[in-house]
């Protein structure tokens, strides 16, 4: 519903020739002049500009402490920017009304390195829980959960607990949970960090498939081999600044 609205807005904007720099509905994520200073004085991001159009696959790279996780925390409004604008799906997060926060959060699926699964809940229950907490009607939950479990290849493991899963299966559960809201963008902070190389590749293939389905992907990683092999867009941060933003790029640990 809201997608239709935003799509027609873009069209209207094109018709009228008005295209505000930080509010285009085909750009899923826009950072404009973003600086993040933590309360202890540490500056984690400095004047960052980043535009991620719908359907992009972006690798966020850079040394430890460069600001990758901070950037992702700003996108889910875990933290607010000190300066500049963070716009997700057309909404400036600084000006979001409290009651609109859940709606924006549902546009973003989040996957972390440590999977953050609920240990006493099965795969199915972990994924369903994401919908239950947002008040989705019961009748809608089961089909939505089945659909994402099939997508990530976990139908057979649906009734197992996290401790009964391999690391790769746990991470795929986390991805299913991130997808169950039908988000426009998935942000993944080092999702392969705890996985062996073969399983990492399977996970990357899954993210590529999700991207093919139209979901925008923003992934922070230290895995130079994966980044270089895929030749996607690479945004490199260093000391809080974007030092490189290239499509079809390679990445070497020294970058
Ligand atoms: N809550 C916080 N309070 C103060 N400083 C913080 C906080 N979180 C992060 N920082 C600092 O901000 C900088 C950026 O950290 P961030 O976690 O974004 O880096 P990163 O690129 O994700 O690193 P890594 O690759 O190790 O995950 C670092 O100097 C870090 O110490
Ligand atoms: Mg990090």
């Amino acid at each position: 519903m809201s997608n239709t609205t935003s799509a027609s807005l873009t069209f209207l904007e094109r018709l009228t020739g008005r295209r505000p720099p930080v509010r285009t509905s085909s750009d899923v994520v826009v950072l404009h002049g973003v600086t993040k200073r933590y309360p202890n004085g540490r500056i984690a991001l400095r004047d960052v500009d980043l535009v991620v159009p719908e359907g992009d696959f972006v690798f966020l790279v850079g040394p430890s402490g460069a600001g990758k996780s901070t950037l992702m925390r700003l996108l889910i409004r875990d933290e607010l920017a000190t300066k500049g604008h963070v716009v997700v799906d057309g909404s400036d997060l600084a000006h979001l009304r409290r009651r609109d926060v859940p709606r924006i959060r549902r546009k973003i699926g989040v996957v972390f390195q440590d999977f953050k699964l609920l240990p006493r809940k099965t795969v199915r229950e972990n994924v369903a829980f994401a919908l239950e907490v947002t008040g989705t009607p019961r009748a809608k939950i089961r089909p939505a959960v089945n659909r994402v479990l099939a997508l990530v290849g976990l139908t057979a493991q649906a009734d197992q607990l996290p401790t009964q899963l391999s690391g790769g299966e746990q991470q795929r559960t986390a991805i299913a949970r991130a997808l169950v809201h039908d988000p426009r963008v998935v942000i993944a902070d080092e999702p392969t960090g705890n996985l062996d190389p073969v399983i990492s590749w399977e996970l990357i293939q899954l993210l590529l498939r999700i991207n093919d389905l139209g979901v925008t992907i923003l992934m922070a990683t230290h895995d130079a081999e994966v980044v270089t092999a895929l030749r996607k867009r690479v945004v490199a941060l260093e000391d809080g600044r974007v030092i490189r933003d290239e499509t079809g790029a390679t990445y070497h640990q020294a970058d």
Side-chain angles (χ1 to χ4, degrees), residues 119-194:
R120 288 175 211 284
K121 288 187 184 288
T122 64
V123 169
R124 173 189 301 289
E125 288 164 351
N126 263 281
V127 178
F129 188 65
L131 291 177
E132 286 162 11
V133 293
T134 56
T136 308
R138 269 179 174 276
K140 287 195 173 168
I141 293 181
R142 197 167 176 92
V145 171
N146 286 342
R147 193 171 55 95
V148 290
L149 289 182
L151 176 66
V152 303
L154 283 179
T155 304
Q157 290 87 347
D159 297 314
Q160 288 170 223
L161 293 168
T163 49
Q164 298 167 326
L165 300 173
S166 69
E169 288 166 345
Q170 289 180 43
Q171 191 55 299
R172 280 190 278 143
T173 305
I175 291 177
R177 184 182 52 189
L179 288 173
V180 78
H181 282 299
D182 207 6
R184 285 191 82 194
V185 54
V186 165
I187 60 175
D189 197 354
E190 298 187 47
T192 60
N194 285 329

Side-chain angles (χ1 to χ4, degrees), residues 26-52:
S26 61
D27 294 331
V28 184
V29 166
V30 178
L31 275 76
H32 189 62
V34 169
T35 292
K36 174 62 187 177
R37 185 177 185 274
Y38 283 108
N40 67 356
R42 175 79 204 175
I43 298 175
L45 294 174
R46 298 166 196 267
D47 201 20
V48 169
D49 286 320
L50 178 67
V51 176
V52 182

Side-chain angles (χ1 to χ4, degrees), residues 69-177:
S69 297
T70 299
L71 193 154
M72 291 186 162
R73 263 180 242 139
L74 292 178
L75 295 180
I76 55 172
R77 211 171 177 274
D78 218 14
E79 293 282 351
L80 286 174
T82 312
K83 237 194 263 170
H85 295 278
V86 179
V87 182
V88 173
D89 197 35
S91 295
D92 188 327
L93 298 192
H95 302 138
L96 214 54
R97 285 167 300 186
R98 188 178 290 266
R99 64 185 156 106
D100 288 332
V101 172
R103 182 178 58 78
I104 289 299
R105 286 244 170 100
R106 285 199 292 275
K107 306 271 185 184
I108 309 182
V110 185
V111 180
F112 295 104
Q113 178 175 0
D114 53 345
F115 321 116
K116 295 197 162 82
L117 299 176
L118 299 165
R120 288 175 211 284
K121 288 187 184 288
T122 64
V123 169
R124 173 189 301 289
E125 288 164 351
N126 263 281
V127 178
F129 188 65
L131 291 177
E132 286 162 11
V133 293
T134 56
T136 308
R138 269 179 174 276
K140 287 195 173 168
I141 293 181
R142 197 167 176 92
V145 171
N146 286 342
R147 193 171 55 95
V148 290
L149 289 182
L151 176 66
V152 303
L154 283 179
T155 304
Q157 290 87 347
D159 297 314
Q160 288 170 223
L161 293 168
T163 49
Q164 298 167 326
L165 300 173
S166 69
E169 288 166 345
Q170 289 180 43
Q171 191 55 299
R172 280 190 278 143
T173 305
I175 291 177
R177 184 182 52 189

Side-chain angles (χ1 to χ4, degrees), residues 218-238:
L218 186 58
M219 170 175 163
T221 184
H222 287 281
D223 195 333
E225 197 187 318
V226 165
V227 174
T228 298
L230 292 185
R231 305 284 159 145
K232 296 288 187 185
R233 180 174 172 194
V234 177
V235 174
L237 286 175
E238 194 177 291

